[in-house]
Each structure stands twice: as structure tokens, then as C-alpha cells.
Amino acid sequence: MRLAGDVRFGVLGSLRAEVGDRPAALGGSRQRAVLARLLIARGRSVPAERILSEVWEGSRAPSVTTLHGYVADLRRTLEPERVPGAPARLLVREGPGYALRAAPDAIDAERFTELAARGRHALEDGEPEEAADLLGRALALWRGPAYADFDGAAFATPDATRLEELRATVREDRLAAVIAAGRHASAVGELEALVAEQPLRERGWELLALALYRSGRQADALTALRRVRRRLADELGIDPGPGLRDLEAAVLAQDPRLAPAPGRRNPRPAPAPERPGRVPSLRAAVPAPPPGNLPFALSSFVGRGGDLTAVAGLLDGHRLVTLTGPGGVGKTRLALEVARARADADGPWLVELGERHVPEPLTATQLLAATVADALGLPTVPSPDRLATMLVERDTLIVLDNCEHLLAPAAELVHTLLTRCGSVRILCTGREPLGITGEAIYEVPPLPAATEAVELFLHRAAAAQPGWTPEPGDRERIAALCEDLDGIPLAVELAAAQCRMLSVGQIADALEDRFTLLVGGSADRPDRHRTLLDTVAWSDQLLEPDERRLFYRLGVFASGFDLDGAAAVGEVSPVLGPLSALVRKSLVIAVPGTAPRRYRMLETLRRYATGALSPVELNNAEERHRAWVLARAENAERHLRGPQGAELLDRLSLDQPEFRAAFTSALAEGEGEYALRLGSALFWFWFRRGHVAEGTAWLLDGFVWAPWASAGLRAPARLADAALNYLAGYPEAGYERASRAVEEAREAGDPVTEAGAAAYAAYLGLLTGVPLDAASSARAAVEMARGTAQVWLEAETLMIQGMVLRILGDLPGAGTAFREALAAARASGHDWVADGVAWCDLKTACDRGDGLRALAVAGDVLAAMDRYGDTSFWLVTVHSAARALVLAGRAEEAAVLMGAVRAIGSRAGVSPELMDPLDGPREAAAVREALPPEEYERHAARGGALSRQEVSALLTTLIADLTGRRSP
């Protein structure tokens, strides 16, 4: 993937960016926080909802439109040369979120990390001068505390803490290099300042004592060691660690090992230090243990730079780290790469538990103790206690791989070793944590599908078929394939291996039956990783019966669900226990930053789960899913036209994949009545959010499959179909359906639907030239609405009455109706009515030739549409505002808006020009006639390439420039 290389970022201090060596203006605090959150993700995509929840933590998050606006501003700042409408190279949209595609060397934190690693390796290799130079350059990158602008922000704290911890280590490493280079006297002053600043870090005190001793100041060295002993006892109630204790004894004994090395280099094979730059171990001489048993890697390690750094940091700060994640996500490989990068004098040691089964008469705990002893080259031991006795003097790292099937005995063994052996560290892998005190858990994520997963596929395909290269267009297909495989490395590797026989397109097409396709893993893999099916089945067999039952049933969810959904569809009570177990065992993902908490399953796990259900069980689960979906939609629908409307529309957007799944399964069962009922409940969501084509398609299917549905079901569905057809630009069809809805609602005794349908019929009949008394019909609809005591309905029918009177030329009457509509809208919280009245005011101002007044009104309406995420009404407002721009002398920008409305409206199924046969064509003609045809088309084509966010930004700027008003 091509990365933007002319932008540099700084987070080691306050956040800053440079574009072409010039400082970039990054905007206000929220916009800067959005950029910081994307930098922290290190190239991975961050869902928009997660950005909103984390950046606005502690306050009400705005709509996702606000985020889009911030992203658009950042793009303009960071990529000033990008042509409007051209794909972004740096801040890109990826799935439901955004990713920052900056090269690692463009970010000071990444350069710092790289210099720190090179410096540490130079120190390990006996090159102290080079190490001191590299580590000094690393520290020079700091301008202040990491992410200084976001002190206390939860989203920045983990990365800031990691960087500050690494900074402290680098300071120690650099001073260790200075001492190793023979400049111990010059290091003393810096070390005195270091221990004063960080008095509880023992390594700084060790280095200070060593520097003082080598400077001929033995008494001062002992004084320093006694100072830290008192400090640790007074503040923490603990004794110094073995390094400080041994150093104190060596200083007292004037141990010759404390003397400076005779030469600059400390060439191999001298014993490796416990950590780079530590004083050598001063324990009694014992035979050197073997150097570990890690296997050499047989394939390249692709990506995961951030994961390597994160896990290494955790392992430095915790004696027990567990890597969790679903099968095939790469836990073992990551653990091995982290272990290989360490410089422990003893080990690391790999203990493989995946194929271990407990034979008679051993207990599982005895088996594990014996397995660990065998891996470390020790005599067989009968218990964890005996093993701990043998390891008590060892300073080593043990990697326990695949603990999930021996969880309880593994937890007992690890607890014993950690409590008895103070210098033993353990890195575990498993599909769930051990669950013991002190455990640091790192959930290994899938690879980013568009980047690292693609690179892994390309590497493995080339290895499987020497000379293989991707065909034109294959990279895009591979990215989609990796997305479908959830970025799971094992699945990607198994798919890449099929390049020996199949093209990339064939592999992608065959993923519908992925468990048959993804087989034939290499012979050196464990049996559970030979096929994708085996990998998932291994996790399945470790489940308890209620967990397995819930896991299978949750597979019918298309995307995400909450706790109530899991309970309703899983039909397991109580659901929290088994659901928590599935999350713990990496079969269900708890989506961070969601409240109430939402959950999801990887696509591969979802397909396995539904495939494990019998046809009867699958049908029952889908039936429960449909019931839950319908209840959720109907409960929301009751409040959509009130104060909770914006929040509920956002929630319905999250559930949209579930609505589609419910429609699909219902129609597959011939349940047209269900489709009509769900369509009626979702009508206002479709209407506001611009899902017009989708809504009319589902309703049509419902009517086809339920021709004899009751009038009570048909009437609200027919009204929904009428309104959606109106938005789609078919007012004649809308009138016909609204008229039928009036009759069906009357037959069903449904005055709410009848009043709404009657108002629409009056308005659409007038628009399409039907001979009727539209004023009387609209007035009757209002009276009927008042009789229902539904104030939102009264507001809506009053607004439509005002629109009818405006068309008829009765402006005073329209004004009265609009004022009453606004009063009812305020009383019910039905804000959309106020926006509808404002839209009519906008058009009336245009009729009077007052373009500036019209634009001022448009600015307020646009702001409201952004709050609600409204697409349909946003389009009609922009369409009307284009005419106002012509009146204000900005015809070229008006043509840009018209092109944008045409492009965005076609995707949503909304046609502002055709939906209103009176005003729509007049607005379009006003813009077209203001420019020569070729000029109009050129500017309209520009608009067709703009996003909604870019159009809103353009129009908002124009309104501010022309009227002097800033939209709220």
C-alpha cells in the first residue's frame, strides 16, 4: 500500500505535524484528539463509534457526521495537494472506521522505538560507544511528556505509559553504555539525578553504585546502596532485589568482576547480562544452563510490529503475561518472536502443551510439572513444588504454549512457580486467560485485512508456488478475501496455499464453503491447525454444554448484538455466565467503547456455529432472532419522533445488518406479514437515513408474499411505501399508495395511520395534479390527528397542511399552520417538523428572490440534519440551497451542489428534483440556466466526486461567507 511520505508527526511532547517541513494547523482539541487516537492505532483501522466514545469520553458524543467533518479538515491540512474527490492516501476510510497510513519513520515515537532497539542491540553486542550515540539520539526526540495534550485521557494513557516506560529504560541503557565505555565518572551526575527522579527503579541505583565504585568511590557506592534499601523498606515494605543485594556484597568484597573491562568491546561468547547494561550476575558460580530451546523460524514473520512492542513491554513489567485470542490468530508465533528478542541469560524455554493428554495414573498437575522439567532439561519431578525448588535460583523466561485444555492445572503450576521463584517469568498462550492474580492479558488481534494480511497472503502464496505473482486487480481481491477471513493469519495462510491450484478469484468465490477449501496445512503444524475446521473444532470441544449451545445459536446474528439479544436468541438463562465464558475463550468479541456493551463474532466462527445447528435448531434460532429484531424495531419506532430520536436512529443503524438478516430469513420462510410489520416499524429510520431503495424493495417483497394480509398490517406498510416512493421521485405512486392506506386504515380502525396517510394523499395529490380539494383534505387530516392525542402526528399533519396552503398561494394560512406545527413539534420533541417548516421558509425566500435569507435558513437546517444523521432531508435542503446560491451570484458552486445531490441521491434512492414536481424542476432549472451547458456539467461532475461531509463543509463555508452567519 502506498504511504504518504511528506508528512511527519510528533507525539513525544504536545501533538504536532509537519507537512513539507512546515508546521500544520491541526485544529481544536477534539480534532487533535481524533488524530492522536489514529496515531495510537499504528495504521490499524479504528471504528468510528470507538473514536467517538473514546475521544468524547465523559461527555455526550456527537453524531458520526461531526467525526467525518474533523477527518475532512485533517485531510485538507495533511494532504493539501489532494484533488477534491481523489482517494485519500494518508487518512483513509477503511470499513466502518478510519486508519492513518503514515510510514513508521514519519512518527517520532516509532523512530524513538527503533533507535532504542538498535541501541540496546549495540549494547548487547559490546559496542558501548555506538549504543550511547543511538540511545542519545533516541532521547533527543523528546520535547515533553508523551501525548502531553491529552494528559489523563483514557484513550492515550496506555500508549503514553508505554512510551514513558521505554524512555526510562532508554535513559538507563544509555548510562549503562557510558559506563561500559569507561566514562563512569561522567555518568555519576546524571545517575544521581535519575535516581532522585525515579527512586523506586532499582536498575538506576545499580548503575549509580557501579559508576561510583569504578570511579574509586567505594564508600559512596555503599552509601547509595544503603539509601535505596531504606527507601524500598520505608515506601514499599520490601527488600532490595537480588541484583542490588549481590552488588552490595560484591562492593564490600571488592569483587574483581566489578572492575572495568580492559577493552572497549566485550566480544562474544562472554556471558550475556541479565538485562542490557546490568552488572553481571554475582551469584555463586554454577554450571551455565543451556541457552534455551526455542525452535528456529521456518517462515518470515509478517507485520505485528506494534504487538511485538506491546507484549515485550508487558513482559518487562509483569512476571506473567498471557496472550489470548481465537484459534489461528497467531498467538504462538507472536510469543516465540517476543521470546527470541529477549536477552535472558537463561532460556527462553518453550513448553508445548497443545498435544498433551493426561495418562493414568498421573494427575494433570503432575503431567505439567514433568513436561516443564523435561523441556528445561531437568530430571523428572513429581509436583509443582519440587519443580519450583529446582528453579528457585534460575532467572529465566518460560513460554507455556496452548494452555486452554489444561487451564486449571496450568494455573496451579504457574501460581506455584511465580510465588516460589522470584526471577522466573512466564509467557502463556491460550484461548482464554489463566485467571490468577498478577496476570497481564494481551488479546492478540487479527491482522489488518487491507495491509498486513495482504502482505502475509503474498508471502505465503509466493512460498507455496515459486514464481507466483499477483495478477492485475488481485491485490483488491486479496484484501476483500482477507476481510472475509477476518484477518486471521492461519486462514489467510491456508487460502494462500491454494494458489498452487486456484486463481485468487477462484479462492475468493470458494470461501462460501471455506471449511472445505481451507485444508492442507503444512505437515509440521499441530493437528488442530491443519485445517480451518480443525482449528475451530478444537475450541468447540473445550466448551461446556450451555456455552456450546449459546455459541451455536449466536451464529444467526449477522453482525452485532447486546446482552438482551444474546438472551433472547440464545434462549439460555441466565445468559451472562456462558456469554462471559465465550468472550473469555475468544469465541465472542466484546466491542470496546460501546454502552450498553455490544458483542460480535468473527465471520468464520459465525459460519461454523450456524453449520453446527441441525435444520430444526437453525430454524428455531432464526425465528427467535426475528422476534428479537421486530421487538427492537417496534420499541424504537414508538419514540423516533420524540426527544430520543437522534440516539435511537444511531442505534438502529448499528442493528441494520440484523434487520436485513431478519427480512431474508422471514421471506425464505414465506412470512410476508412479518416483512410488512418490520417494514412499518423501520419506515421512519429508512426515511430519515436515506435507505429509500432498500426500504421499498423489502416492502414490495412483503406485499408479494402476503397478498391477503389484514388491513391493520397493510395500512402502515402502505403509508411507509407511499412516503418512500415520494422521496424516490415517484409522487404519483406515492399518492396512489397513500390513498389506499387511508382506506385500509379506515377499515382497520387505525386513526393514526389514517391521519398520516390522508395528509400525504392531500399533498401528493396536489403535487401531481389530481383534482381534489387539497386544503379541505389537509385540514381534515389535522383534525383527525388531534383526535388521536398523538402530538407528534398533529405537528406533522399541520406541517403538511402548511405545505399544501403554500402551494395554493395562501401564504397567511400557511404561516398560521406552520406556527401551530412548530408549537406542537416543540411540545412533542418532533424536531423534524421544525426542519420541514424551515425548508418551506427557505423555498419561499427563494420565490421572493431573497437568496441570502434562504441560505441563512439552509445553514440551520443542515446543522440539524447532521445531528440526526439525516440523509433524505439533507439532500432536499442542499438541492433547494443550490437555487439560493444562484440568487446570491454563486452559480458555479450551485452546480457543484447539484452534481453532489445527483450522485449521493442516486446511491440513497432519493430524487429531490422529481419528488416535488413543482419546486424541484424549478430549482434544477435555475441552476442549469445560470451557466453554459458545458460549464454546468463540468462543475456538476466535480460535485459528483464529493462526499457528503465535503459538500456540507463547502456549503457551510459559502453560507458563512455570504451571510456572515456561522451554522450552529
Side-chain angles (χ1 to χ4, degrees), residues 151-220:
D151 183 31
F155 76 86
T157 297
D159 207 49
T161 302
R162 174 186 69 83
L163 289 168
E164 293 288 356
E165 179 66 21
L166 183 57
R167 181 188 192 184
T169 301
V170 169
R171 292 176 68 186
E172 293 166 349
D173 283 350
R174 190 188 71 81
L175 289 167
V178 171
I179 294 171
R183 302 198 303 275
H184 24 266
S186 65
V188 170
E190 286 189 66
L191 285 165
E192 288 282 13
L194 181 65
V195 298
E197 182 182 333
Q198 299 175 329
L200 302 181
R201 288 180 66 93
E202 295 189 23
R203 189 182 177 208
W205 289 98
E206 289 181 24
L207 292 170
L208 174 61
L210 180 62
L212 288 167
Y213 183 87
R214 289 186 177 180
S215 300
R217 300 167 59 182
Q218 179 181 359
D220 289 338

Side-chain angles (χ1 to χ4, degrees), residues 580-597:
S580 299
L582 293 178
V583 172
R584 192 171 61 249
K585 296 176 181 182
S586 305
L587 291 171
V588 170
I589 297 170
V591 181
T594 54
R597 182 71 75 228

